[in-house]
Amino acid sequence: MVDRLRSAAEQLEAPICSDCHIEMKWFRSELLVDEPTPIIAHLFVCPHCKRAAQTDTIFRGVQAPPEKLSAPRFIAYAA
């Protein structure tokens, strides 16, 4: 999950404050939802008026081809 957070933060564009018309500064990021589709919220604050804004990163699921799916090697049966 840390890798997802890093990649999401690298691709962020800071929003522009609607009052001051300057670029907001990143404050923090947090995981909103992990399953089934991870969503990370990025919070920004205007350095001048302290107005807050949020942008979300939604990760799309990647379909693995059937030959790449994992399967148990041994099946244990209880007697």
Side-chain angles (χ1 to χ4, degrees):
M1 185 41 91
V2 173
D3 291 333
R4 286 183 183 171
L5 183 58
R6 281 190 192 132
S7 68
E10 290 172 357
Q11 299 172 6
L12 282 179
E13 285 191 32
I16 303 298
C17 178
S18 59
D19 286 345
C20 303
H21 306 289
I22 60 173
E23 187 175 278
M24 299 176 112
K25 300 295 180 190
W26 175 84
F27 177 66
R28 73 175 186 194
S29 296
E30 60 186 45
L31 180 65
L32 293 180
V33 178
D34 191 22
E35 295 294 333
T37 303
I39 300 174
I40 296 176
H42 307 282
L43 306 172
F44 294 85
V45 176
C46 175
H48 184 259
C49 70
K50 308 301 183 213
R51 181 180 295 268
Q54 175 179 326
T55 60
D56 295 339
T57 300
I58 301 171
F59 292 92
R60 304 282 186 251
V62 177
Q63 294 289 344
E67 65 272 4
K68 298 289 183 179
L69 296 176
S70 64
R73 291 182 178 207
F74 303 102
I75 299 175
Y77 293 101

